[in-house]
Amino acid sequence: MTDSYGPGEFEGVPTDGAADLAGVPDAFQRLWTPHRLVYIQHGQQPDEHACPFCRAPQLSDEQSLIVARGEHAYVLLNLYPYNSGHLLVCPYRHIATYDEATPEEVAEIGELTQVAMRTVKQVSRCDGFNIGMNQGRIAGAGIAEHLHQHIVPRWALDANFFPIIAGTKALPRLLGEVREEIAEAWPR
């Protein structure tokens, strides 16, 4: 069975033109993400003097979404996460690539990554992780000038059509709630 509507008619509702369609319900749900407008309008790369990974440790943990601090590196939530609990491990020192890191920074980034995985697994009961570093702008680094490692928790049923069809990721929890839960569970 097919629906056929005459001119000036939508699902049996008379219309005078396209403007009338704005209030007509359709099959789509809307996911409003106004917080991403700054990211979209201003691009991913910050001004060279406004590195968010250099600024974050100067703020409170709540303001900067930091969940743990080490001697050479720290862990914070990604402001634009792929999934709830998407963490970043960053050295305090402003370096662009992994080969510039000292042995102490490399060791602590690795240790913080392991603790982050254990903590997120305990808190969120995730089934796996994507871990990686994009080195340089051409490789897809969102902030190319400051080294950071992504830790993205994954669940068996976390995939849906949003990222593929709509270029949108639905996140079920607020960043502040996730930061607090992970920070509280982080081993001291």
Side-chain angles (χ1 to χ4, degrees), residues 35-177:
H35 64 280
R36 290 188 54 85
L37 189 58
V38 171
Y39 181 74
I40 294 165
Q41 288 179 334
H42 301 290
Q44 298 177 20
Q45 300 302 320
D47 176 87
E48 65 182 79
H49 302 293
C51 175
F53 298 139
C54 288
R55 185 168 182 259
Q58 299 168 12
L59 303 172
S60 73
D61 290 355
E62 291 77 16
Q63 286 177 302
S64 59
L65 301 174
I66 290 176
V67 298
R69 295 174 186 254
E71 185 179 340
H72 304 285
Y74 65 97
V75 182
L76 76 163
L77 280 172
N78 189 328
L79 188 56
Y80 303 104
Y82 289 107
N83 277 339
S84 290
H86 178 170
L87 297 173
L88 303 172
V89 181
C90 303
Y92 292 109
R93 206 163 56 95
H94 187 82
I95 55 173
T97 57
Y98 195 62
D99 60 328
E100 296 175 36
T102 66
E104 294 80 16
E105 288 167 331
V106 169
E108 191 165 62
I109 289 169
E111 181 182 338
L112 288 171
T113 298
Q114 287 181 325
V115 175
M117 290 173 66
R118 290 181 196 117
T119 305
V120 170
K121 192 182 297 183
Q122 171 194 332
V123 167
S124 71
R125 295 174 186 75
C126 62
D127 299 310
F129 292 92
N130 291 119
I131 297 175
M133 295 182 188
N134 299 323
Q135 303 287 283
R137 206 179 245 170
I138 195 71
I143 307 295
E145 301 304 318
H146 197 125
L147 178 68
H148 57 284
Q149 176 160 273
H150 293 262
I151 304 169
V152 182
R154 301 299 304 266
W155 292 265
L157 301 174
D158 72 359
N160 59 42
F161 71 92
F162 272 170
I164 298 164
I165 304 297
T168 303
K169 188 69 178 180
L171 299 167
R173 306 213 28 233
L174 296 174
L175 290 173
E177 292 172 357

Side-chain angles (χ1 to χ4, degrees), residues 1-16 20-21 24-25:
M1 178 177 172
T2 61
D3 293 326
S4 61
Y5 305 111
E9 187 177 35
F10 180 76
E11 293 188 2
V13 177
T15 64
D16 294 322
D20 291 334
L21 297 178
V24 176

